[in-house]
């Protein structure tokens, strides 16, 4: 991203209370995107959302749905995000500097938990895709390495023994959309392919060191390189499958263990861990997909309700219509 564009995107933070983390994502990152009419998407992490929203209401009350401001203010905003949604409050259709913005505010603890454990597979899914970090006071970029490795492992479990580099990124990108209720009526059905094709070079630059790591472990090997059609191959043995499953977040492995069985492993230091019993690669892949699909479905449903309440009926309807129009255009 060019310095001038980064400075422009960062300048929005000057009108907000201080934040611990901020990144932009979506079409803003497309190399050839010059369309300033498209919405710019931000994820903002703060230590105390209620305190942050309270300060932001004094500075930018027009960013919020009027009913939330009048009925409960920062406490209501935070409660809706935490108890109805998945811990994120979004302010969409914010007008600033001749652009439309959408920003989601999340508690830093919740962000880290989702990145490490996929307990909601919501923002962790977003951070598996290219983002541009503007503020990172707690080194979330480093923490997110765990999330990226887990995404590669999950994608490999769902792929055949041979595939292209583009196939890998598309499968990784699709993880957080499996079971997403919006995909049935309010999302572009070609969204995954558009993300990967539009940001392929970004995916390559982000994931190159991780793919090299998997090659070193003999889990992956490259037959050719340099284009989106680079041929890759993976070890599909049971031992490789166990290695991939061991890289998945603990909460996913735990649910897989309840379905497939789990054996206890005691380390030399006395630490007891569970290992999922794997009879076949296909069985493990189907079980993992079922766990993730269920998790995404619940999160997307909760966030949809939270978003409708938080944005207000008019803004929420506008946003839904915009999404549905894209979905219809992609299917026609």
């Amino acid at each position: 991203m060019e310095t001038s564009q980064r400075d422009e995107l960062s300048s929005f933070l000057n009108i907000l209370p201080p934040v611990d983390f901020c990144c932009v994502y979506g079409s803003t990152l497309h190399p050839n995107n010059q369309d300033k009419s498209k919405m710019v998407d931000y994820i903002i992490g703060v230590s105390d959302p209620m305190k942050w929203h309270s300060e932001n209401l004094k500075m930018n009350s027009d960013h919020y749905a009027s009913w939330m401001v009048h009925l409960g203010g920062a406490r209501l905003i935070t409660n809706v995000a935490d108890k109805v949604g998945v811990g994120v409050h979004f302010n969409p259709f914010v007008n600033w500097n001749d652009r439309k913005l959408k920003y989601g505010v999340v508690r830093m603890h919740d962000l880290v938990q989702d990145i490490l454990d996929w307990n909601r597979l919501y923002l962790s899914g977003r951070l598996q895709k290219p983002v541009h970090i503007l503020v990172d006071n707690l080194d979330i970029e480093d923490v997110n390495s765990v999330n990226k490795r887990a995404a590669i492992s999950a994608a490999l479990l769902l792929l055949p023994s041979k595939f292209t580099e583009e196939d890998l990124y598309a499968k990784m990108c699709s993880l957080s959309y499996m079971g997403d209720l919006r995909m049935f009526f309010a999302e572009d059905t070609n969204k995954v392919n558009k993300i990967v094709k539009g940001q392929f070079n970004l995916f390559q630059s982000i994931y190159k060191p991780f793919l090299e790591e998997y090659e070193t472990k003999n889990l992956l090997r490259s037959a050719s390189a340099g284009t989106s059609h680079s041929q890759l191959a993976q070890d599909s043995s049971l031992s490789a499958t166990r290695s991939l499953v061991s890289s998945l977040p603990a909460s996913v492995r735990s649910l897989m263990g309840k379905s497939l069985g789990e054996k206890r492993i005691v380390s030399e230091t006395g630490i007891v861990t569970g290992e999922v019993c794997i009879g076949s690669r296909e069985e493990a892949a189907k079980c993992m997909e079922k766990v993730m699909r269920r998790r995404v479905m619940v999160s997307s449903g909760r966030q949809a309700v939270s978003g409708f309440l938080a944005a207000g009926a008019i803004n929420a309807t506008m946003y839904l219509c915009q999404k549905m129009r894209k979905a219809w255009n992609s299917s026609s």
Side-chain angles (χ1 to χ4, degrees), residues 250-261:
S251 68
V252 176
R253 296 198 313 271
S254 176
L255 290 174
M256 290 178 68
K258 289 180 180 179
S259 177
L260 300 178

Side-chain angles (χ1 to χ4, degrees), residues 4 56 67 79 109 121-122 154 164 193 218 282 293 309 319 327:
S4 59
N56 197 36
W67 76 271
N79 283 341
H109 176 267
L121 197 51
Y122 190 72
T164 67
N193 288 332
N218 296 319
E282 294 73 19
R293 190 176 293 278
L309 294 173
Y319 187 64

Side-chain angles (χ1 to χ4, degrees), residues 141-269:
E141 186 170 18
D142 184 58
V143 175
N144 196 41
S145 296
V146 176
N147 182 31
K148 292 171 183 173
R149 287 190 186 91
I152 294 173
S153 293
L156 289 175
L157 282 170
L158 297 172
L159 285 166
S161 57
K162 294 183 179 180
F163 48 90
T164 67
E165 191 175 357
E166 187 173 314
D167 292 335
L168 175 61
Y169 299 145
K171 187 62 69 176
M172 288 167 49
C173 190
S174 71
L175 296 175
S176 59
Y177 294 121
M178 293 192 304
D180 191 328
L181 298 176
R182 297 171 302 169
M183 297 304 290
F184 294 106
F185 66 95
E187 278 290 4
D188 185 343
T189 54
N190 296 316
K191 184 168 187 172
V192 168
N193 288 332
K194 287 181 178 178
I195 291 173
V196 174
K197 289 182 183 298
Q199 302 181 46
F200 184 79
N201 290 339
L202 290 175
F203 273 101
Q204 276 193 317
S205 63
I206 291 168
Y207 281 100
K208 182 181 178 182
F210 296 101
L211 298 187
E212 290 174 347
E213 181 182 313
Y214 275 60
E215 285 191 51
T216 301
K217 294 178 179 179
N218 296 319
L219 295 171
L220 192 65
R221 63 182 184 276
S222 177
S224 63
T227 70
S228 62
H229 299 291
S230 297
Q231 293 294 318
L232 300 173
Q234 65 169 319
D235 181 355
S236 298
S237 67
L238 274 183
S239 61
T241 301
R242 292 190 186 98
S243 180
L244 294 177
V245 170
S246 70
S247 297
L248 299 175
S251 68
V252 176
R253 296 198 313 271
S254 176
L255 290 174
M256 290 178 68
K258 289 180 180 179
S259 177
L260 300 178
E262 189 176 58
K263 58 183 177 181
R264 298 294 177 182
I265 307 294
V266 182
S267 70
E268 294 180 356
T269 57

Side-chain angles (χ1 to χ4, degrees), residues 95-129:
N95 292 301
W96 176 81
N97 202 20
D98 297 324
R99 301 196 74 157
K100 281 199 179 295
L101 314 176
K102 178 182 75 175
Y103 64 94
V105 181
V106 63
R107 184 180 289 102
M108 288 300 297
H109 176 267
D110 293 344
L111 176 61
V112 171
Q113 284 296 108
D114 198 30
I115 288 172
L116 295 178
D117 207 37
W118 292 4
N119 58 332
R120 285 162 172 164
L121 197 51
Y122 190 72
L123 292 182
S124 55
R126 178 61 261 171
L127 291 174
Q128 291 162 3
K129 307 171 186 70

Side-chain angles (χ1 to χ4, degrees), residues 288-319:
M288 180 200 68
E289 184 175 5
K290 183 178 179 181
V291 168
M292 293 173 63
R293 190 176 293 278
R294 170 68 178 169
R295 186 158 293 182
V296 172
M297 184 177 293
V298 171
S299 291
S300 65
R302 289 180 59 179
Q303 190 58 35
V305 175
S306 171
F308 187 86
L309 294 173
I314 295 176
N315 274 343
T317 302
M318 285 173 59
Y319 187 64

